[in-house]
């Protein structure tokens, strides 16, 4: 439903900047759960358009409640007014946001999380781009808990020449406990569109992590593995870990080509008589790798590599 709504808005207003707001001066927040609101902001920030924040949203404010004892949570000093049938902060008179002296519940680290999402958006041409492709799981399903979309700066350009980001958001549900969401996504339908290559190696950086320059995977994955097995993603639950923990609620995974050093395999020891000779194979995990000139290897003098054959006398 959410994906279709985004598609409908794009087709209804072609070529126009779309406002991606969850609330405005005459509209209420979609929920009092600040983690749910954050998850929706993370999902909309994957889209083309202009992500918008209602002031105080990044501090966890809640909607108006007629019981004055709840006014502590909505973050404003003065009363609200009814506008279009909804109670909103009174903006026709002096008002004041009180989150600095009376912080709402669960707001610790929330503004920092919003800042990371905005930083990722600001520094990623792919996230800003209109180019998008909604991803499905390797089972062919649509995981309703995860907004999954591939964003790319230029169609069919490799990640070396164009920004490519796989973006995921854990969509919390109203009234449900915050739980992990995970699945494996099929990259085959978008493989060529993203300029990926089964003969190369890749790693990803999470643009919304505490250190966006750090690779997520301990070692690079081959393109053939990603093509055949898909991409596994596990999204945190916000209140289980601090919202500032890496991988909580959203992950914007920027794909980069990696220089994977192939593994050179040598046969067991050969004990030979003086003056005798033998043959044995030297193999590499990458069939195109030259054991003679490969970085961090020392080949014997006179060794050669031609036509896929290693030779040395």
């Amino acid at each position: 439903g959410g994906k279709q709504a985004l598609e409908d808005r794009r087709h209804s207003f072609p070529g126009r900047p779309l406002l991606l707001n969850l609330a405005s001066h005459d509209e209420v927040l979609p929920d009092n759960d600040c983690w749910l609101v954050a998850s929706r902001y993370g999902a909309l920030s994957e889209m083309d358009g202009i992500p918008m924040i209602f002031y105080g949203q990044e501090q966890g404010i809640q909607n108006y409640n007629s019981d004055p004892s709840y006014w502590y949570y909505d973050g404003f000093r003065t009363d609200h007014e009814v506008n279009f049938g909804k109670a909103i902060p009174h903006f026709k008179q002096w008002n004041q946001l009180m989150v600095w002296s009376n912080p709402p519940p669960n707001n610790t680290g929330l503004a920092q999380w919003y800042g990371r999402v905005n930083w990722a958006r600001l520094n990623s041409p792919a996230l800003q781009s209109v180019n998008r492709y909604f991803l499905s799981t390797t089972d062919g399903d649509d995981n309703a808990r995860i907004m999954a979309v591939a964003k790319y700066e230029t169609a069919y350009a490799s990640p070396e020449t164009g920004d490519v980001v796989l973006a995921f958001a854990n969509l919390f549900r109203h009234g449900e406990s915050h739980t992990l969401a995970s699945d494996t996504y099929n990259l085959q339908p978008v493989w060529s569109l993203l300029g990926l290559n089964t003969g190369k190696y890749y790693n990803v950086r999470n643009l919304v992590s505490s250190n966006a320059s750090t690779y997520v995977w301990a070692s690079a994955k081959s393109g053939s593995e990603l093509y055949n097995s898909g991409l596994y993603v596990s999204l945190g639950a916000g209140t289980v870990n601090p919202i500032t923990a890496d991988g909580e609620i959203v992950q914007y995974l920027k794909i980069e080509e990696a220089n994977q050093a192939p593994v050179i395999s040598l046969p067991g020891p050969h004990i030979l008589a003086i003056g005798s000779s033998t043959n044995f194979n030297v193999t590499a995990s990458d069939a195109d790798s030259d054991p003679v000139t490969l970085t961090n290897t020392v080949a014997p003098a006179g060794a050669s590599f031609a036509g896929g054959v290693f030779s040395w006398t």
Side-chain angles (χ1 to χ4, degrees):
K3 295 177 181 177
Q4 189 59 52
L6 290 167
E7 287 294 299
D8 292 343
R9 179 176 291 191
R10 169 186 273 193
H11 293 309
S12 298
F13 306 98
R16 295 175 174 84
L18 301 178
L19 304 182
L20 305 175
N21 56 318
L22 298 174
S24 63
H25 71 278
D26 56 3
E27 184 61 80
V28 298
L29 292 166
D31 202 274
N32 281 333
D33 183 346
C34 64
W35 310 99
L36 183 152
V37 175
S39 74
R40 273 30 179 202
Y41 184 79
L44 287 179
S45 295
E46 300 173 1
M47 300 295 106
D48 51 296
I50 305 173
M52 300 174 65
I53 295 179
F54 186 80
Y55 61 106
Q57 176 182 324
E58 80 288 354
Q59 294 291 338
I61 62 171
Q62 298 182 8
N63 292 317
Y64 173 74
N65 190 303
S66 58
D67 184 348
S69 65
Y70 282 88
W71 293 355
Y72 169 88
Y73 302 116
D74 66 26
F76 292 90
R77 177 184 293 278
T78 59
D79 204 350
H80 291 59
E81 65 170 338
V82 176
N83 199 357
F84 296 103
K86 300 174 182 178
I88 61 173
H90 207 310
F91 65 90
K92 297 185 180 71
Q93 66 183 37
W94 180 85
N95 208 338
Q96 184 179 2
L97 194 64
M98 299 294 293
V99 295
W100 322 116
S101 57
N102 293 319
N106 300 320
N107 81 326
T108 303
L110 196 62
Q112 181 181 344
W113 180 89
Y114 273 93
R116 289 182 185 174
V117 172
N118 293 339
W119 182 94
R121 173 81 181 208
L122 181 64
N123 288 276
S124 172
L127 289 174
Q128 299 172 26
S129 171
V130 299
N131 301 322
R132 72 181 186 214
Y133 189 102
F134 290 115
L135 298 172
S136 298
T137 69
T138 51
D139 294 330
D141 299 327
D142 180 18
N143 189 327
R145 283 289 309 281
I146 300 176
M147 176 71 85
V149 59
K151 297 297 296 291
Y152 49 98
E153 182 180 7
T154 306
Y156 305 106
S158 75
E160 283 291 283
T161 58
D163 190 32
V164 176
V165 175
L166 304 178
F168 305 90
N170 185 347
L171 298 178
F172 296 151
R173 303 293 180 182
H174 175 75
E176 295 181 1
S177 61
H178 299 172
T179 57
L180 295 170
S182 61
D183 222 320
T184 303
Y185 284 88
N186 184 11
L187 299 181
Q188 293 183 12
V190 76
W191 191 259
S192 297
L193 193 62
L194 303 183
L196 301 177
N197 188 322
T198 55
K200 295 186 177 181
Y201 286 82
Y202 299 97
N203 212 323
V204 295
R205 296 190 289 112
N206 183 9
L207 299 181
V208 291
S209 67
S210 56
N211 187 351
S213 64
T214 300
Y215 284 129
V216 174
W217 301 328
S219 59
K221 297 181 183 295
S222 68
S224 59
E225 176 186 353
L226 293 172
Y227 183 86
N228 293 320
S229 302
L231 175 75
Y232 174 78
V233 63
S234 178
L235 297 160
T239 52
V240 175
N241 301 314
I243 197 170
T244 51
D246 294 344
E248 293 302 303
I249 301 185
V250 299
Q251 295 180 29
Y252 300 160
L253 304 179
K254 175 179 171 60
I255 302 179
E256 294 184 355
E257 292 186 10
N259 294 322
Q260 177 73 358
V263 177
I264 302 300
S265 301
L266 299 173
H270 284 64
I271 302 176
L272 305 175
I274 295 176
S276 63
S277 64
T278 187
N279 296 319
F280 57 83
N281 294 325
V282 178
T283 59
S285 57
D286 182 346
D288 295 327
S289 296
D290 178 354
V292 177
T293 60
L294 191 66
T295 303
N296 296 327
T297 65
V298 179
S304 65
F305 181 75
V309 178
F310 173 85
S311 300
W312 175 60
T313 300

